[in-house]
Amino acid sequence: MPDWLAALLITVLKGVLVALALLTTFAYMTLIERRLLARMQIRLGPNRVGPMGLLQPLADAIKSIFKEDLSVSGADKLVYTLAPIVAIGMALTAFGGIPAGPPRSLFGENPWVYNLDAGLLALLALTSVGVYGIFLGGWASGSKYPVLGALRSSAQMISYELGMGLSVLGLLMLVGSTNLLDIVGWQAANSWMVVVQVFAFALFIVSSFAEVNRTPFDLPEAEQELVAGYLTEYSAIKWALFQMAEYVNMITASALMATLFFGGWRGPAFLNGVIPGIADWPLVWLVLKIAFFLFVFIWIRATLPRLRYDQLMRLGWKLVLPLALGNTILVAFYLAFLRPAGWGLWTLGVLSLLALGVLFVLSDRVRALWNVPAVHPGGGDARPRARPAGGD
């Protein structure tokens, strides 16, 4: 067999295995999320199908497959069908570029599907294309609520992708490469990027929540306002594909945060003194870090209320974007003046931590400056409202 054909077959096999792993994780993530949300709300959650409810995802899959696939008379049939395929296809493809270990570490093969020099840029581009599935699905449904959800999703993605891109620009300036392996290697040689760029990480995680349409940024499918948003006219397997895309995007965002800011597939180096080589185990540490961030996604959903749409847009354009630009200027200042003068990376870490601390301390004044209303647990904003003229 020619070498190029063998390499192609191995790549296809790895892609299939990654897709199966992601879809299995998606199925059980739905169960884990429902059980965790139930515990946080002092109830039980699904526990009837199988031991401890472990067969609930299988029951949900059977239900979705065998439900009637409704045909909407006013829909553009081709685009209506292709939209969920585009969404899940881009979500699965994006995850393939995440390195899960050093080269040739899993059965003599590279633990990734593809490795590009422009790895980070490719992942951001693929996740951006996924919004086309949501927008086209809402537009092709031929209904008002899906179109409103599609427009919200498009505006939200555009707003927060700018902040997300600028938040990692300082990281790229420090590493000097967009290859994800180089970023992991830099962190192994220096320190985890979250220590040096904690302010950038805070901006990146906020942008990630908005990118994957999760609470408190789940405006495109706000049930109280838009029925189900862009999903309103979908049912059966097409609806399930959109749900798969959302959860796979969550997993990809978690893997990206772990790779960019928490050392990627490498564990804490000090553990090598306890068990030699444990910090370099492939796949294990990446899975643990992904699981932690998925828990954070669920925890935030159980904690925060949904923002209003005007609050969402103000936060993205008036707060996240300027602060991400400021972080880029901070890193440029360090590289241009402080590093040549002999100041170590700890200087940048202290400055980044101070910037985050100042933001928290002055949070009320920052909201007033940028006209971003505070949100209280009851929903809406905390600004006092005038009482009606007629009394209560």
Side-chain angles (χ1 to χ4, degrees), residues 227-302:
V227 185
Y230 63 93
L231 289 168
T232 302
E233 303 294 349
Y234 280 94
S235 61
I237 192 64
K238 295 189 184 74
W239 178 87
L241 287 177
F242 272 122
Q243 294 300 311
M244 289 180 194
E246 178 180 328
Y247 278 88
V248 172
N249 282 328
M250 278 175 55
I251 298 170
T252 303
S254 301
L256 200 53
M257 285 186 280
T259 302
L260 295 180
F261 294 97
F262 287 83
W265 53 268
R266 294 179 181 272
F270 69 88
L271 292 179
N272 284 328
V274 181
I275 302 177
I278 188 175
D280 297 325
W281 287 356
L283 194 63
V284 174
W285 290 104
L286 182 64
V287 170
L288 290 176
K289 293 171 186 177
I290 290 174
F292 169 75
F293 283 113
L294 289 176
F295 172 76
V296 171
F297 273 100
I298 298 171
W299 190 9
I300 294 297
R301 179 180 177 181

Side-chain angles (χ1 to χ4, degrees), residues 28-317:
Y28 279 92
M29 265 303 298
T30 58
L31 175 63
I32 293 170
E33 180 170 17
R34 293 169 68 185
R35 292 296 296 270
L36 284 176
L37 289 175
R39 292 298 180 182
M40 292 175 183
Q41 297 165 358
I42 318 177
R43 54 188 179 86
L44 294 178
N47 59 356
R48 299 285 181 171
V49 186
M52 297 184 295
L54 292 177
L55 297 181
Q56 185 67 48
L58 179 61
D60 293 339
I62 293 173
K63 174 187 175 184
S64 296
I65 292 171
F66 288 99
K67 279 185 70 174
E68 180 183 2
D69 190 4
L70 299 178
S71 179
V72 183
S73 59
D76 185 317
K77 296 296 172 40
L78 178 62
V79 179
Y80 178 80
T81 303
L82 288 178
I85 299 174
V86 170
I88 186 62
M90 292 301 102
L92 293 173
T93 305
F95 189 87
I98 302 291
R104 308 290 179 184
S105 59
L106 289 180
F107 307 105
E109 290 297 330
N110 296 326
W112 56 77
V113 180
Y114 59 88
N115 178 35
L116 302 176
D117 288 336
L120 179 57
L121 298 181
L123 258 67
L124 294 178
L126 287 169
T127 54
S128 300
V129 173
V131 72
Y132 284 98
I134 295 175
F135 178 78
L136 292 176
W139 172 82
S141 296
S143 179
K144 293 181 180 179
Y145 287 127
V147 169
L148 287 174
L151 291 173
R152 281 186 172 190
S153 180
S154 301
Q156 180 172 321
M157 296 290 182
I158 293 170
S159 302
Y160 283 88
E161 277 172 1
L162 293 172
M164 175 180 284
L166 281 175
S167 67
V168 298
L169 188 55
L171 177 152
L172 298 180
M173 293 164 64
L174 288 171
V175 178
S177 173
T178 56
N179 188 296
L180 294 176
L181 276 178
D182 293 341
I183 294 173
V184 174
W186 187 93
Q187 294 179 82
N190 297 277
S191 68
W192 283 5
M193 193 64 71
V194 69
V195 177
V196 181
Q197 282 280 271
V198 64
F199 190 59
F201 170 69
L203 298 174
F204 188 86
I205 194 172
V206 170
S207 301
S208 297
F209 274 86
E211 284 288 297
V212 298
N213 297 331
R214 292 285 297 187
T215 305
F217 304 109
D218 55 338
L219 274 299
E221 49 186 284
E223 294 87 353
Q224 293 88 342
E225 305 167 26
L226 304 179
V227 185
Y230 63 93
L231 289 168
T232 302
E233 303 294 349
Y234 280 94
S235 61
I237 192 64
K238 295 189 184 74
W239 178 87
L241 287 177
F242 272 122
Q243 294 300 311
M244 289 180 194
E246 178 180 328
Y247 278 88
V248 172
N249 282 328
M250 278 175 55
I251 298 170
T252 303
S254 301
L256 200 53
M257 285 186 280
T259 302
L260 295 180
F261 294 97
F262 287 83
W265 53 268
R266 294 179 181 272
F270 69 88
L271 292 179
N272 284 328
V274 181
I275 302 177
I278 188 175
D280 297 325
W281 287 356
L283 194 63
V284 174
W285 290 104
L286 182 64
V287 170
L288 290 176
K289 293 171 186 177
I290 290 174
F292 169 75
F293 283 113
L294 289 176
F295 172 76
V296 171
F297 273 100
I298 298 171
W299 190 9
I300 294 297
R301 179 180 177 181
T303 305
L304 295 181
R306 180 186 298 128
L307 296 178
R308 286 201 323 260
Y309 192 70
D310 61 318
Q311 294 173 333
L312 172 80
M313 299 306 289
R314 287 197 198 117
L315 180 65
W317 286 105

Side-chain angles (χ1 to χ4, degrees), residues 319 355-370:
L319 202 60
L356 186 61
V358 169
L359 179 63
F360 276 115
V361 171
L362 302 179
S363 57
D364 291 335
R365 295 186 181 181
V366 169
R367 280 196 296 262
L369 176 65
W370 295 110

Side-chain angles (χ1 to χ4, degrees), residues 315-382:
L315 180 65
W317 286 105
K318 294 186 175 182
L319 202 60
V320 173
L321 181 60
L323 291 176
L325 184 58
N327 178 75
T328 304
I329 296 173
L330 177 64
V331 176
F333 176 79
Y334 167 78
L335 293 175
F337 300 104
L338 298 182
R339 190 167 72 173
W343 294 83
L345 276 172
W346 63 269
T347 310
L348 181 59
V350 170
L351 292 175
S352 183
L353 185 61
L354 284 175
L356 186 61
V358 169
L359 179 63
F360 276 115
V361 171
L362 302 179
S363 57
D364 291 335
R365 295 186 181 181
V366 169
R367 280 196 296 262
L369 176 65
W370 295 110
N371 195 25
V372 178
V375 179
H376 61 82
D381 62 59

